[in-house]
Amino acid sequence: MPSSTPLSWPTPEAPSCPILKILQGQVALVTGASSGIGRSIAIALGHAGANVVINYLGHPDKAESVAEEIRRCGSKAITALADVSKPDQVEAMFQKTISELGRLDILVNNAGIQLDAAFEDITLDQWQRVMDVNLTGPFLCSQEAVRIFNKQGIDPTLSCAAGKIICISSVHEVIPWAGHVNYAASKGGLMLLMKSLAQEVAPRRIRVNSIAPGAIRTPINSAAWSTREAYDALLPLIPQKRIGEPEEIGRAAVWLASDQSDYVHGITLFVDGGMTLYPGFETGG
Ligand code: NAD
């Protein structure tokens, strides 16, 4: 790429406080929502009219600033400290959701971590922690959500579904990733957790889907975009030749959470600028 290529890309921002509040009155819980993709999803859901629970682990100030931004649009927002891999903390977070916001309609399993190492150097602790957060977390949170959706049933004034679950997976649910075996294995596992759960709860009108981001400008992968050299090395992997912005995942999440996508069930929506299109074949192979 020419050295004048901008590190930041002019991506149109979603309008703040849109008039069309397609999630009006619904309650959404977003895990890992104090930063990055989770933050953008929480704000986008709030701007679309949902009242939002901002789960966080550390940085209460950042979680509170997400809540403030949502409140400015007229939606309610509360913060909830919980480690998604700890059953007692997860249970308490869902209890807080019901006691403070009265119901739950949307769960976004976003919290995730990377603990990278060459395969032979991955410690059992690194393996286990990634599985705990990226796979056991969505399992525990989805179980709590499904129990609540079962109890609530459908309220047609809010949505034609009894509940919606969105997992934030990764292009690495299908693209193997050397040096990140624990992460890729956790996202591959999340894909079949999502699909199997989607199959099981479909008759109860609970919708389950995933969003698989490609390279998005967030703290988790800052090493891949924060210097000119790293950014230029990333671009050959992306047919659109730009990194994605967290707001682009937020917009996809609003659509997947809304009745606009009611017949979309058990799929992974790739939001990746074409990263899964085998970019090595761009020039004909
Ligand atoms: P991030 O580091 O900003 O966000 C991860 C969030 O999860 C943080 O707020 C962190 O505090 C929280 N978290 C970590 N462990 C937790 C735990 N045990 N309990 C509760 N919260 C916890 O990075 P991000 O890029 O916004 O990542 C969000 C999700 O998107 C992750 O699941 C990640 O795997 C996925 N993803 C990101 C990219 C990307 O390019 N940024 C690409 C594909 C997938």
Side-chain angles (χ1 to χ4, degrees):
M1 290 300 295
S3 59
S4 59
T5 306
L7 270 175
S8 63
W9 196 271
T11 305
E13 294 264 331
S16 48
C17 305
I19 294 163
L20 189 63
K21 302 232 174 217
I22 56 176
L23 302 176
Q24 188 74 52
Q26 298 190 48
V27 174
L29 189 158
V30 184
T31 67
S34 64
S35 67
I37 290 172
R39 174 182 188 279
S40 285
I41 291 174
I43 290 170
L45 295 174
H47 285 195
N51 299 322
V52 186
V53 182
I54 295 133
N55 161 249
Y56 70 99
L57 188 65
H59 304 296
D61 48 324
K62 288 188 182 168
E64 191 46 44
S65 84
V66 178
E68 278 302 316
E69 175 147 2
I70 291 170
R71 289 179 198 127
R72 275 197 289 277
C73 258
S75 295
K76 292 180 191 159
I78 61 170
T79 60
L81 170 65
D83 180 334
V84 295
S85 70
K86 302 277 191 282
D88 52 335
Q89 296 182 29
V90 168
E91 199 184 332
M93 174 169 69
F94 281 81
Q95 277 169 4
K96 178 176 179 170
T97 301
I98 298 303
S99 69
E100 295 193 20
L101 295 177
R103 58 181 295 111
L104 179 74
D105 303 280
I106 300 156
L107 165 67
V108 182
N109 287 311
N110 166 77
I113 56 168
Q114 277 180 232
L115 296 173
D116 306 329
F119 180 69
E120 58 272 34
D121 298 330
I122 299 176
T123 64
L124 185 56
D125 280 353
Q126 285 173 324
W127 172 267
Q128 197 57 58
R129 187 64 189 148
V130 168
M131 293 301 159
D132 284 350
V133 178
N134 296 7
L135 195 49
T136 304
F139 160 69
L140 292 171
C141 291
S142 301
Q143 206 172 44
E144 291 291 332
V146 166
R147 287 172 183 153
I148 293 171
F149 298 156
N150 285 344
K151 241 191 248 168
Q152 281 177 180
I154 297 170
D155 178 345
T157 65
L158 293 174
S159 171
C160 53
K164 282 88 51 159
I165 296 174
I166 300 170
C167 298
I168 304 304
S169 165
S170 165
V171 289
H172 297 293
E173 74 167 44
V174 292
I175 301 179
W177 205 12
H180 306 75
V181 165
N182 47 358
Y183 181 80
S186 73
K187 295 298 187 178
L190 185 57
M191 175 183 65
L192 275 177
L193 188 163
M194 178 278 288
K195 284 180 187 281
S196 304
L197 176 59
Q199 196 184 54
E200 185 166 334
V201 298
R204 286 174 250 159
R205 295 303 306 269
I206 298 170
R207 276 200 307 124
V208 188
N209 291 288
S210 285
I211 296 172
I216 308 295
R217 191 193 310 275
T218 73
I220 208 173
N221 63 358
S222 62
W225 53 262
S226 53
T227 65
R228 156 101 283 139
E229 229 176 22
Y231 189 70
D232 285 351
L234 180 65
L235 295 188
L237 299 175
I238 310 170
Q240 280 200 4
K241 304 301 173 215
R242 70 173 178 90
I243 195 167
E245 303 297 334
E247 293 76 16
E248 299 185 275
I249 308 298
R251 293 199 278 274
V254 168
W255 179 73
L256 261 189
S258 77
D259 285 353
Q260 307 259 324
S261 61
D262 187 53
Y263 209 45
V264 177
H265 194 97
I267 62 119
T268 296
L269 176 61
F270 287 86
V271 182
D272 67 353
M275 198 178 232
T276 36
L277 296 176
Y278 298 94
F281 283 82
E282 257 172 27
T283 52

